[in-house]
Amino acid sequence: MSHQVERRLRLYVDFMSQPCRAVIIFSRCNKLPVELQMVLIHKGETRSPEYLARNPLGKVPLLEDPEAVRSGEGPGRDAHLCLTESAAIMSYLSYKFPELVMEHWYPRSDPVQRARVDAALHWYQGNIRAGAMRLSFHKVVAQRLGLQGDERVAADGLKTLKLALSGLEEYWLAGDSRLFMTGRQPCSADLLCACELEQLHMLKAQWHGTSLDEILAPYPLVQAWRQRVRHACEPHYSDVHAVLVKAAAVDPRPKL
């Protein structure tokens, strides 16, 4: 029994991380045998020697698969797989558990549809994530980590995000003729984009910030799509975002 537990896949996450939440929801929607290990960014745990030994990049999420052996860096050395990057983790899990993960999340048998999902995943990184992450970090998260946010970077993030939201409506949702980014069912890119936007709930606690509802008001197709993603992933979507909802209710202003 102890040997079986030791060999289980471990997913190192922080529920306050957008990509982490996407991978957790993906795992729960598909009932994957993945054990969660908490690594709290705000407590510096991603920079601990123990964690850096697993992931020298010091980021989450991280998937550890004791059954998958990769070649080590030194001669004659092998180590089990420690996989970074949320999109890569979801793709890997899709291939590792083909009997559990539905094709629409990440297509395995159709190279054309898989290419479309890959394109959406690449687009997410440089558009939705690039904009939303800079906005939420420099408006709220930096202050909570004891850092100084940069208003100019936040403003640039908002500009990038607005362009991305237009692209999401006009191209990926094809002007309301497509339910999800690559078809009639959600893929891993839908989940990553939706979780990134949810992070902007943090802005409502920022007294001079802009709320998520205000940002999305000019994009009704994105609003409808976001609700479809949530509905397709319930109850896991709401459960996994509970920590974020609670954190967003905390006013970051210093007490006078």
Side-chain angles (χ1 to χ4, degrees):
M1 185 69 172
S2 60
H3 176 72
Q4 291 179 347
V5 172
E6 185 179 308
R7 303 291 289 181
R8 290 191 67 181
L9 279 76
R10 291 187 178 92
L11 183 63
Y12 295 83
V13 296
D14 184 336
F15 276 73
M16 286 301 294
S17 159
Q18 307 90 299
C20 284
R21 292 195 301 271
V23 178
I24 296 167
I25 294 168
F26 175 88
S27 299
R28 291 183 177 179
C29 283
N30 292 289
K31 298 180 172 59
L32 301 183
V34 174
E35 175 187 317
L36 297 185
Q37 296 285 327
M38 296 300 113
V39 183
L40 301 181
I41 298 170
H42 73 280
K43 290 188 176 182
E45 293 177 358
T46 55
R47 307 304 302 175
S48 71
E50 180 184 11
Y51 187 72
L52 290 173
R54 290 186 170 89
N55 181 11
L57 295 174
K59 304 289 185 180
V60 284
L62 175 73
L63 180 71
E64 190 174 39
D65 185 352
E67 294 183 346
V69 177
R70 62 172 177 80
S71 298
E73 294 181 357
R77 295 179 58 190
D78 289 329
H80 60 258
L81 177 67
C82 287
L83 183 63
T84 63
E85 298 299 324
S86 52
I89 290 171
M90 287 189 279
S91 300
Y92 177 76
L93 291 172
S94 297
Y95 279 101
K96 185 172 181 69
F97 300 106
E99 72 284 2
L100 296 177
V101 181
M102 298 293 289
E103 284 270 334
H104 63 84
W105 288 110
Y106 189 78
R108 296 174 297 273
S109 60
D110 185 341
V112 173
Q113 188 62 13
R114 182 169 63 250
R116 289 174 177 154
V117 173
D118 284 336
L121 289 169
H122 287 296
W123 179 84
Y124 144 80
Q125 289 284 358
N127 294 274
I128 294 291
R129 179 155 176 77
M133 180 180 66
R134 278 181 286 170
L135 177 59
S136 62
F137 183 86
H138 287 278
K139 276 289 190 181
V140 182
V141 178
Q143 183 175 347
R144 296 190 176 199
L145 293 175
L147 305 173
Q148 182 66 46
D150 189 324
E151 288 291 333
R152 292 174 300 178
V153 177
D156 184 64
L158 180 57
K159 181 180 178 180
T160 299
L161 177 61
K162 288 180 177 179
L163 290 172
L165 292 171
S166 294
L168 180 55
E169 285 204 334
E170 296 167 11
Y171 181 78
W172 295 105
L173 299 177
D176 205 24
S177 65
R178 190 177 294 140
L179 292 176
F180 296 98
M181 292 178 70
T182 59
R184 298 187 59 81
Q185 294 177 294
C187 70
S188 51
D190 288 286
L191 197 47
L192 283 164
C193 287
C195 288
E196 198 68 47
L197 293 180
E198 295 291 347
Q199 192 79 358
L200 298 178
H201 280 300
M202 296 289 289
L203 296 176
K204 75 177 182 180
Q206 186 74 6
W207 65 100
H208 62 275
T210 303
S211 71
L212 175 59
D213 290 338
E214 290 173 318
I215 293 173
L216 294 186
Y219 309 98
L221 301 185
V222 172
Q223 294 180 60
W225 159 84
R226 182 169 149 256
Q227 293 306 316
R228 287 195 294 270
V229 176
R230 172 187 289 273
H231 179 73
C233 299
E234 291 290 27
H236 311 296
Y237 196 95
S238 293
D239 291 344
V240 171
H241 280 94
V243 173
L244 173 68
V245 171
K246 183 177 180 181
V250 178
D251 192 332
R253 289 177 290 184
K255 298 296 186 291
L256 300 178

